[in-house]
């Protein structure tokens, strides 16, 4: 348990965003003293909450995933593995903090969308596609063909749904894979793939599971939106949300019962799952069980503090900042328009490198590749992609450009790159798309975009920003893989030429 390292990790993710907001507030977009104070308190609570939550994930949630993967695979029962992985995916997603916040934001904009129904559909999508992803791993189904067919189905389904819900659906895929879900998926995937690797010597099969799992929520929300077609999607956003900056610091005390209830409801299914698995599957020794229970307690405490910070001031400040800059950009144009897009660029570059789930994935990639694929290089490509994504979202928020005009060519390019990119990088790319959008993107960035969209009178165009952040890594990481492949081939060719010239052979490894 390294509390200090977790504190540094979360502080490095939140503080850069806070610095950007403070700079803008003291210069071109004043938030006002009350809202600024709430934002600062909310940001500090966010850091503290994520610290305890990630600590709980490390000692509680992740071990459950690893134990589940190993235990279910050792049973050698495919129906048992798939059915329980569906249950695990559902329960863990319900506990995902990003989804709780995301559900509230959707309900704020589209009041007729029931948060409970939406979260349940998203969780069901995660569970089904997690099972499907593990099934693919076990039978050795080609990852690239799986992804190609899945996305063709998604876009065909999207055209049958209300256009305003398409952004929500694609956003749900990115919002789902946050600090709770990603470690669980990775741990479960590694547990299953290691057993398979022991049989045929393959490795790295766990990459791609997060990418496949993140498809599930998109499909689920698109299907759910078919039942909402009769509603009026133009009546969006409540004025009360924009006036929340007038409420003082007392809001944090008022929110305490709500956040404890939400956190309790989120963690309770995981607790039930643990004790069910302990009786029928794990049979862990008491000291390990106590440690995991302590981890769940940390997760509950962290989730409560996280939701308090997000609801108390962090999202409200993002909303107000987006509204101020969006209003000036839509009315004055010129430099203000460029400033809004530049703010999106900077936020994108900072946010993706700050997401905890990104650090989890890049560390695993560097470890499993034996250091061949450097974390810093992956972060550079992810950062560039996210910067472009959020800048596009800012432009779209004001212009009202149809989301499909960006997503269709973007995903078409990503699927085309699969032909040239190594399989390992394709799996990493689609996993990166799932984890690039985490707590900061799903809270502050989405609220910022909603505010900018509200300024132009087209709030529905705010949804899709998480989808864009999730899409760009698919392109960026596969380009990295193609470059990597070219360098390897050139290096091997150079070595071969040197061997011919020297008349001998040298053993060279990566």
């Amino acid at each position: 348990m390294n509390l200090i390292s977790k504190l540094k990790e979360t502080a490095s993710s939140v503080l850069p965003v806070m610095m950007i907001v403070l700079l803008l507030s003291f210069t071109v977009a004043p938030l006002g003293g009350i809202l600024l104070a709430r934002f600062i308190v909310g940001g500090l609570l966010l850091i503290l909450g994520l610290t305890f939550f990630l600590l709980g994930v490390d000692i509680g949630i992740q071990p459950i995933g690893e134990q589940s993967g190993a235990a279910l695979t050792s049973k050698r029962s495919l129906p048992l593995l798939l059915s329980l992985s569906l249950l695990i995916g559902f329960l863990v997603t319900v506990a995902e903090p990003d989804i709780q916040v995301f559900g509230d934001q959707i309900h704020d904009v589209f009041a007729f969308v029931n948060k409970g129904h939406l979260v349940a559909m998203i969780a069901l999508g995660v569970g089904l596609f997690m099972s499907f992803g593990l099934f693919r791993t076990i039978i050795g189904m080609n990852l690239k063909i799986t992804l190609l067919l899945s996305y063709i189905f998604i876009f065909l389904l999207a055209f049958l749904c209300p256009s305003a819900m398409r952004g929500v659906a694609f956003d749900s895929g990115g919002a789902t894979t946050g600090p709770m879900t990603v470690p669980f998926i990775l741990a479960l995937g590694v547990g299953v793939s290691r057993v398979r690797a022991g049989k045929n010597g393959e490795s790295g099969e766990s990459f791609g599971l997060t990418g496949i799992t993140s498809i599930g929520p998109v499909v689920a929300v698109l299907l759910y939106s078919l039942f909402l077609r009769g509603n009026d999607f133009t009546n969006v956003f409540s004025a009360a949300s924009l006036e929340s900056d007038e409420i003082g610091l007392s809001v944090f005390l008022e929110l305490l019962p709500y956040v404890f209830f939400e956190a309790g409801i989120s963690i309770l299914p995981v607790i039930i799952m643990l004790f069910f698995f302990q009786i029928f599957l794990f049979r862990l020794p008491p000291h390990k069980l106590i440690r995991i229970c302590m981890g769940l307690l940390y997760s509950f405490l962290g989730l409560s503090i996280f939701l308090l910070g997000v609801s108390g001031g962090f999202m409200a400040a993002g909303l107000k900042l987006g509204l101020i800059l969006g209003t000036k950009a839509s009315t004055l144009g010129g430099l203000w328009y460029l400033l809004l897009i530049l703010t999106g660029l900077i936020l994108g570059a900072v946010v993706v490198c700050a997401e905890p789930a990104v650090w989890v994935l890049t560390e695993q990639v560097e470890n499993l590749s034996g250091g061949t694929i450097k974390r810093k290089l992956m972060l550079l490509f992810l950062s560039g992609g996210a910067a472009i994504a959020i800048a596009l979202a800012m432009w779209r928020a004001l212009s009202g450009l149809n989301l499909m005009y960006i997503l269709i060519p973007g995903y078409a390019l990503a699927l085309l790159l699969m032909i040239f990119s190594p399989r390992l990088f394709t799996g990493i790319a689609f996993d990166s798309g799932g984890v690039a959008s985490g707590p900061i993107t799903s809270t502050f960035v989405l609220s910022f975009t909603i505010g900018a969209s509200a300024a132009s009178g087209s709030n529905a165009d705010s949804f899709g920003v998480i989808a864009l952040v999730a899409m760009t890594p698919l392109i960026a990481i596969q380009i990295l893989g193609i470059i990597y492949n070219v360098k390897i081939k050139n290096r091997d060719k150079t070595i071969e030429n040197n061997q011919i010239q020297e008349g001998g052979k040298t053993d060279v490894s990566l």
Side-chain angles (χ1 to χ4, degrees), residues 42-338:
L44 294 176
L45 288 173
L46 199 69
I47 292 172
L48 185 63
L50 274 178
T51 298
F52 280 104
F53 183 79
L54 291 175
L55 184 62
V57 167
D58 277 0
I59 67 176
I61 305 298
Q62 196 162 339
I64 296 175
E66 292 171 352
Q67 291 287 339
S68 301
L72 290 174
T73 309
S74 66
K75 296 291 183 183
R76 301 189 182 281
S77 171
L78 187 58
L80 179 67
L81 172 65
L82 298 183
S83 58
L84 287 183
S85 61
L86 188 156
L87 176 65
I88 291 169
F90 182 91
L91 295 177
V92 172
T93 303
V94 171
E96 178 61 63
D98 293 2
I99 287 300
Q100 297 298 324
V101 174
F102 182 68
D104 286 330
Q105 289 174 312
I106 301 303
H107 180 70
D108 284 343
V109 175
F110 302 123
F112 53 82
V113 175
N114 183 287
K115 177 189 173 182
H117 295 168
L118 181 69
V119 170
M121 286 298 294
I122 290 173
L124 182 61
V126 170
L128 287 170
F129 274 75
M130 183 187 290
S131 295
F132 174 62
L134 291 173
F135 178 72
R136 182 206 68 84
T137 301
I138 291 169
I139 68 172
M141 188 187 301
N142 187 287
L143 174 64
K144 295 182 179 181
I145 293 176
T146 303
L147 292 170
L148 176 63
L149 295 176
S150 297
Y151 278 100
I152 289 174
F153 174 71
I154 282 176
F155 280 102
L156 290 175
L157 184 60
F159 283 103
L160 300 176
C161 301
S163 59
M165 287 296 290
R166 292 170 190 164
V168 175
F170 280 93
D171 277 355
S172 69
T176 301
T177 44
M180 170 72 88
T181 315
V182 168
F184 214 103
I185 294 173
L186 291 176
L188 191 59
V190 167
V192 173
S193 63
R194 277 177 181 167
V195 174
R196 185 174 187 271
K199 294 179 181 180
N200 53 27
E202 293 183 11
S203 60
E205 282 295 319
S206 59
F207 295 122
L209 179 58
T210 304
I212 290 174
T213 301
S214 63
I215 293 171
V218 183
V219 174
V221 175
L222 287 173
L223 291 173
Y224 173 62
S225 69
L226 293 175
F227 296 95
L228 303 174
R229 296 178 72 172
N231 291 280
D232 181 12
F233 286 91
T234 60
N235 183 19
V236 295
F237 215 68
S238 64
S241 299
L242 296 177
E243 295 169 359
S244 62
D245 56 299
E246 297 176 3
I247 305 172
L249 293 176
S250 61
V251 69
F252 291 102
L253 290 175
E254 295 170 5
L255 285 170
L256 276 177
Y258 163 77
V259 299
F260 280 130
F261 177 77
E262 288 287 311
I265 291 296
S266 297
I267 297 295
L268 182 61
V270 182
I271 296 174
I272 295 172
M273 179 179 69
L274 168 64
F275 283 97
F276 177 82
F277 280 6
Q278 170 64 11
I279 294 171
F280 297 103
L281 197 65
F282 294 164
R283 291 186 170 84
L284 297 172
H287 69 279
K288 286 189 177 180
L289 183 61
I290 292 172
R291 180 177 172 83
I292 289 176
C293 289
M294 285 298 298
L296 293 177
L297 181 61
Y298 282 125
S299 296
F300 167 75
L301 178 63
L303 182 55
S304 300
I305 299 172
F306 170 84
L307 290 174
L308 186 64
V310 165
S311 303
F314 207 70
M315 287 199 304
L319 183 68
K320 186 72 172 183
L321 186 65
L323 182 67
I324 293 172
L325 292 179
T327 300
K328 292 182 177 180
S330 60
T331 55
L332 301 176
L335 292 176
W336 289 103
Y337 202 103
L338 292 175

Side-chain angles (χ1 to χ4, degrees), residues 382 424-434 470 473-478:
L382 287 171
L424 175 63
F425 279 87
T426 295
I428 294 171
F430 279 83
D431 280 355
S432 301
L474 313 186
I475 299 169
I477 299 300
Q478 288 193 103

